[in-house]
Amino acid sequence: MTVGTGRPAQARSAAPRAAEPPPAPGAEEPGAPEPGSPEPGAADPAGFAGIHPDDLPDGLVVADATGRVVTFNAAASRITAVPGPKALGLPLDQALPLEDLKGRRWWALTDPYGGLATRRGQPERNLLLPGGREVLVSARYVRAHPTGPVRRVVVCLRGTEARRRTERSHAELIATVAHELRSPLTSVKGFTATLLGKWERFNDEQKRLMLETVDADAGRIKRLIAELLDISRIDSGRLEVRRQPVDIAAAIGRHVQVHTTGGQSPDRFFVRIRPELPALWADPDKIDQILGNLLENAVRHGEGTVTIEVAPAKTGDDGEEGTEVTVSDEGPGIPEESMSRVFTRFWRGSKRGGTGLGLYIVKGVVEAHGGTITVGRGPRGGAEFRFILPVGTPAHLL
């Protein structure tokens, strides 16, 4: 290991309304609004705190007491591919010809206007538009009083793309975990079964070799489970950071020693510690996790000298003091088109193994400390990862 020092270097449409015939003289429509209040089904910007229906991110469809569409916003048009003006005035089941996953007409099944008088709406579910396109639909029945006639049916529409992406991500995670667990578990099972069944046929050296293999594979399983727990905490925002004073230079030295003890040449690593580093309060275990992943990535996927540089830095808009750590190598680097995906789940820069979860976890851990991490091309062409951590002094010490 070489150690060096240096000096810091669409125009919005009006709310649509269906024209309705005036009531007969002296007649009062059941559940009619009070004078001066907005007509049911009509978009009332003041009632929505100035928000126009077309500003809503989800599709909004409103039918009046007669079952005809009076509001069909821009998101609903985008999701259903039905122009808003064409949908206005149509019966709800014609404007939204929805079917359930068994091919049954959904409005005939739910019957909002003629069904149970106590029903308040329909929970969100997957339904089909013409052509078999899936959409998430929920409905609310607005009544004059709890068991009165339906005055409005308010329908919310959402595309299924985001949910599909989440489901695919979960499926990929399960497939990755199953694949990564299968190999070490097969090895553990095979060696333990062999030892239990034929213990007396092996000498001590053979037994030690098999037990060392079992221990190494058990370690792989333990690390994978730890990664899965970290992903769960990162995704749910429950990753805890227990801050303590951290000597980042000493931590880097430990990780370099691990690699040199494991067979890497000490000359492959060059460490430069800039002077006047600020104090760093961070979670020591998670700092080890960051450094371990970045150095492992550089050693496994990079080539040539791995350079680790630590320097003081400014973080955030307020210029708070922090520490900047850069890890770079001299390998082929990461293609420009792939850099936006480096910190996503299951990204692999090569076919040299790994779960593809390490850099995703690194980003989550850095951000949990209030820091940032970036990837680019190093001065000698290889990959360069740079993360910056604020000082992070606990509030009770300020």
Side-chain angles (χ1 to χ4, degrees), residues 216-238:
D217 286 332
R220 286 176 58 190
I221 296 171
K222 182 180 178 181
R223 288 192 297 273
L224 178 58
I225 292 173
E227 287 182 342
L228 296 175
L229 290 174
D230 285 335
I231 288 174
S232 173
R233 296 185 184 110
I234 290 169
D235 289 347
S236 62
R238 294 185 293 106

Side-chain angles (χ1 to χ4, degrees), residues 132-374:
R133 189 151 45 94
E134 286 192 25
V135 64
L136 298 172
V137 181
S138 58
R140 173 73 185 274
Y141 307 157
V142 181
R143 301 179 184 272
H145 51 83
T147 58
V150 172
R151 294 173 54 187
R152 291 191 299 275
V153 174
V154 181
V155 182
C156 179
L157 305 174
R158 292 180 180 176
T160 60
E161 292 82 3
R163 180 170 293 187
R164 291 297 184 201
R165 284 194 298 270
T166 300
E167 291 174 351
R168 282 196 300 270
S169 178
H170 290 165
E172 289 174 356
L173 181 60
I174 292 171
T176 299
V177 171
H179 175 77
E180 293 295 326
L181 285 176
R182 180 185 302 162
S183 177
L185 283 176
T186 300
S187 173
V188 169
K189 177 63 177 174
F191 279 117
T192 53
T194 301
L195 287 170
L196 288 172
K198 303 176 181 179
W199 179 267
E200 68 285 349
R201 296 177 57 178
F202 298 104
N203 60 38
D204 289 346
E205 187 62 29
Q206 291 171 324
K207 292 174 183 177
R208 173 178 291 276
L209 178 60
M210 285 189 279
L211 288 174
E212 286 176 348
T213 304
V214 169
D215 182 67
D217 286 332
R220 286 176 58 190
I221 296 171
K222 182 180 178 181
R223 288 192 297 273
L224 178 58
I225 292 173
E227 287 182 342
L228 296 175
L229 290 174
D230 285 335
I231 288 174
S232 173
R233 296 185 184 110
I234 290 169
D235 289 347
S236 62
R238 294 185 293 106
L239 188 66
E240 294 183 3
V241 174
R242 296 181 173 89
R243 296 185 184 273
Q244 302 175 33
V246 173
D247 185 342
I248 191 72
I252 290 171
R254 289 196 305 272
H255 282 277
V256 170
Q257 186 176 10
V258 168
H259 285 283
T260 56
T261 303
Q264 294 292 328
S265 170
D267 293 335
R268 190 174 182 191
F269 300 93
F270 178 78
V271 179
R272 178 185 291 123
I273 308 297
R274 300 285 185 178
E276 300 179 358
L277 291 177
L280 176 63
W281 286 75
D283 189 316
D285 293 337
K286 291 180 172 53
I287 294 301
D288 281 339
Q289 194 172 17
I290 296 170
L291 294 173
N293 272 289
L294 293 182
L295 287 178
E296 177 71 20
N297 186 74
V299 169
R300 176 182 292 182
H301 303 292
E303 297 173 3
T305 300
V306 176
T307 301
I308 307 103
E309 184 172 355
V310 185
K314 299 295 184 181
T315 68
D317 297 333
D318 55 358
E320 180 185 359
E321 286 188 322
T323 299
E324 176 185 274
V325 180
T326 305
V327 179
S328 60
D329 61 73
E330 299 175 347
I334 299 171
E336 193 73 30
E337 62 274 13
S338 298
M339 286 188 180
S340 62
R341 297 185 287 111
V342 165
F343 297 109
T344 59
R345 290 183 186 180
F346 312 118
W347 183 85
R348 294 180 177 88
S350 70
K351 298 181 180 179
R352 300 182 188 177
T355 62
L357 301 175
L359 292 176
Y360 177 82
I361 294 172
V362 164
K363 183 175 186 290
V365 172
V366 169
E367 291 179 347
H369 281 82
T372 58
I373 184 167
T374 58

